[in-house]
């Protein structure tokens, strides 16, 4: 599926010619079949990006970033992340033998950070990153300055900062065009807008029709709706708890153009809507983190408003895996139940109870 970047020369090195840990080529799954809200409504699919090697679509970007860094002789990666990008950069950096340092949004889910540190990355939380525009801008400026000064790759997952690697997420559209050519609308979770812009650009590079691109954003970080009306004012202080989408400023203004020129629109959802969509997906075996359920929350909101009809085919991007955010899973299930060990003679009786539930 790679088309944009030539493989780095790897003669005799431990690095694969194409740096890959098996990212991409993710399946599409029908979802919502048991949801009463969707009965008689649109056909809804999810692109299972949470099945990528480190549990998010960011692996597609990290594969590009590290390939480029290796090929151009850079010394390592310095970037920002709410956790998923950091985990991805860490794993691919480790694979290539490149050091990775990631500045993180404070309070990022522990499993995301542990994935990154297990792969050897240095993780440094920075006060205000993502949450306030002033701090976010200062951090990005410093990352750009230091990457240039020190010969590092800037791992900021937005077109306005690291365009070459963002093509990696455009592969989602290339795959979708093959898997579901009948798609009418693609629902994309939005933080800084890089993913949505990639999905749009991916479709634009293809001969066929581009579906409506719909941006779904938590109310507590709502930058895209106002941007689609020409107002790029940042959010003064992000209040959503949805990890991955806490970005005070729309980093890629092209995301607004993507929505308007494809006949799409913007849906704003509450954190509670997102948790409900996450719980609904889990009951179908699609266990994602909250950001991975935002697109479905957007579909459900649109069904309620009559924006989607029974003839529509909608694709939601399930961007991140459930295991990345233990606290969010426990919100659904309660704390893990550690019962006293049973005697094996009691098993038949326990099963009887389970099967009659
Ligand atoms: C799971 C998940 N979904 C969606 C996004 C949204 O990406 P963007 O900031 O490009 O809009 C992110 C970004 O971190 C993410 O981690």
């Amino acid at each position: 599926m790679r088309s944009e970047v030539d493989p780095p020369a790897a003669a005799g090195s431990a690095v694969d010619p194409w740096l890959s840990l098996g990212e991409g080529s993710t399946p599409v799954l029908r979802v919502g079949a048991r949801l009463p809200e969707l009965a008689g409504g649109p056909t809804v699919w999810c692109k299972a990006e949470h099945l990528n090697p480190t549990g998010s679509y960011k692996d597609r970007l990290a594969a590009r970033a590290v390939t480029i860094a290796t090929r151009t002789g850079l010394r390592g990666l310095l970037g920002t992340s709410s956790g998923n990008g950091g985990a991805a950069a860490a794993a691919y950096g480790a694979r290539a033998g490149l050091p990775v340092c990631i500045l993180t949004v404070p309070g990022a889910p522990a499993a995301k950070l542990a994935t990154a540190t297990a792969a050897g990355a240095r993780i440094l939380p920075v006060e205000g990153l993502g949450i306030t525009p002033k701090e976010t801008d200062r951090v990005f400026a410093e990352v750009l300055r230091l990457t240039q000064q020190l010969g590092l790759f800037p791992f900021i997952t937005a077109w306005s900062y690291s365009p070459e690697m963002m093509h990696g997420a455009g592969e989602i559209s290339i795959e979708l065009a093959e898997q579901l050519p009948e798609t009418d609308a693609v629902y994309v979770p939005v933080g800084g807008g890089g993913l949505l812009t990639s999905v749009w650009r991916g479709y634009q590079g293809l001969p066929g029709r581009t579906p409506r691109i719909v941006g779904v954003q938590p109310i507590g970080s709502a930058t895209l709706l106002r941007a689609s009306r020409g107002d790029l004012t940042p959010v003064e202080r992000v209040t959503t708890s949805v990890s991955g989408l806490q970005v005070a400023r729309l980093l890629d203004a092209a995301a607004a153009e993507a929505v308007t020129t494809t006949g799409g629109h913007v849906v704003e959802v509450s954190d509670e809507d997102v948790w409900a969509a996450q719980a609904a997906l889990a009951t179908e075996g699609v266990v994602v983190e909250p950001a991975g359920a935002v697109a479905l929350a957007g579909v459900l909101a649109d069904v309620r408003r009559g924006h989607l009809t029974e003839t529509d085919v909608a694709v939601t991007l399930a961007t991140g895996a459930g295991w990345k955010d233990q606290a969010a899973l426990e919100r659904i299930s309660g704390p893990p139940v550690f019962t006293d060990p049973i005697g094996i003679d009691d098993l038949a009786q326990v099963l009887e109870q389970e099967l009659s539930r």
Side-chain angles (χ1 to χ4, degrees):
M1 273 289 175
R2 294 195 180 77
S3 54
E4 314 272 342
V5 183
D6 291 333
S13 85
V15 180
D16 293 332
W18 278 116
L19 186 75
S20 174
L21 291 169
E23 69 288 342
S25 302
T26 53
V28 286
L29 308 168
R30 266 300 296 276
V31 290
R34 284 189 230 129
L35 281 180
E37 296 103 302
L38 290 181
T43 307
V44 185
W45 294 85
C46 99
K47 177 82 169 145
E49 286 296 299
H50 62 298
L51 301 181
N52 276 300
T54 74
S56 84
Y57 76 95
K58 302 263 175 166
D59 289 331
R60 297 177 185 264
L61 311 183
R64 295 277 177 135
V66 175
T67 299
I68 295 166
T70 308
R71 197 176 58 185
T72 55
L74 294 175
R75 293 164 64 196
L77 282 77
L78 170 64
T80 60
S81 173
S82 57
N84 282 326
Y92 286 78
R95 189 78 179 159
L98 288 180
V100 174
C101 178
I102 298 291
L103 310 178
T104 59
V105 173
K112 295 184 181 180
L113 305 184
T115 307
T117 50
R122 186 74 198 268
I123 294 295
L124 302 168
V126 179
E127 198 56 55
L129 173 59
I131 306 301
T132 63
K134 188 158 162 251
E135 273 317 298
T136 307
D137 291 349
R138 283 187 56 204
V139 171
F140 289 159
E142 188 63 354
V143 167
L144 286 189
R145 192 181 72 77
L146 285 172
T147 49
Q148 272 160 24
Q149 186 180 314
L150 301 173
L152 301 169
F153 186 93
F155 191 86
I156 301 175
T157 61
W159 286 84
S160 48
Y161 292 100
S162 304
E164 312 98 308
M165 76 167 164
M166 296 305 291
H167 285 287
E171 290 178 350
I172 294 172
S173 314
I174 298 170
E175 293 170 19
L176 274 177
E178 268 177 36
Q179 291 168 313
L180 293 168
E182 69 275 31
T183 301
D184 294 303
V186 183
Y187 282 70
V188 186
V190 175
L195 172 62
L196 187 143
T197 303
S198 301
V199 169
W200 177 48
R201 294 198 168 143
Y203 270 111
Q204 283 198 313
L206 297 170
R209 164 188 71 96
T210 298
R212 306 192 297 271
I213 308 286
V214 181
V216 191
Q217 209 171 31
I219 291 165
S221 60
T223 54
L224 183 60
L225 182 61
R226 58 168 79 146
S228 71
R229 296 168 178 161
D231 173 6
L232 287 171
T233 317
V235 167
E236 223 167 89
R237 189 172 186 86
V238 162
T239 54
T240 179
S241 71
V242 177
S243 165
L245 306 188
Q246 297 162 310
V247 190
R249 182 189 292 293
L250 190 68
L251 305 179
D252 286 322
E257 194 190 336
V259 166
T260 48
T261 60
T262 60
H265 59 278
V266 180
V267 189
E268 292 181 349
V269 290
S270 68
D271 284 12
E272 289 76 13
D273 291 340
V274 174
W275 301 337
Q278 183 195 16
L281 283 172
T283 63
E284 299 185 13
V286 181
V287 185
V288 296
E289 64 174 300
V294 161
L296 179 65
V299 164
L300 295 175
D302 268 357
V303 168
R304 281 194 292 272
R305 296 188 302 176
H307 277 29
L308 280 169
T309 65
E310 69 272 21
T311 56
D312 276 318
V313 176
V315 175
T316 60
L317 300 190
T319 46
W323 57 264
K324 289 285 190 75
D325 192 338
Q326 185 74 24
L329 287 185
E330 288 182 23
R331 195 184 296 119
I332 298 171
S333 63
V337 187
F338 297 113
T339 50
D340 293 333
I342 62 159
I344 195 62
D345 295 335
D346 298 329
L347 179 59
Q349 195 194 338
V350 173
L351 278 178
E352 201 60 56
Q353 286 165 5
E354 277 304 304
L355 294 173
S356 57
R357 274 212 297 168

